[in-house]
Amino acid sequence: MASVDKKRCVVCGVCENTCPLAAVKVYHGCYAVVEETVCVGCGKCAKSCPAGCIEMKERTAM
């Protein structure tokens, strides 16, 4: 799944517009967040992020 480094996010919205499942949202104009229950780990948001602040990680068991 995708994980956003909130400190490096430039709030450009590219990830939000790229995600085919709308799993990424810009939170109150501060940083992007990933909805874990929606993200399927396709990596499109990470590849499109101009700031390079999104990385793909293994989903942890809940």
Side-chain angles (χ1 to χ4, degrees):
M1 81 168 255
S3 177
V4 179
D5 180 346
K6 296 174 185 174
K7 292 179 182 178
R8 292 177 42 210
C9 180
V10 296
V11 196
C12 65
V14 171
C15 57
E16 184 175 35
N17 294 328
T18 302
C19 180
L21 299 174
V24 185
K25 300 284 184 198
V26 173
Y27 182 72
H28 296 289
C30 298
Y31 49 80
V33 293
V34 178
E35 178 60 50
E36 296 179 18
T37 59
V38 179
C39 179
V40 294
C42 71
K44 290 180 181 180
C45 59
K47 290 175 187 167
S48 69
C49 179
C53 68
I54 302 175
E55 62 181 74
M56 302 308 294
K57 296 186 175 183
E58 290 292 321
R59 189 177 303 268
T60 57
M62 292 185 191

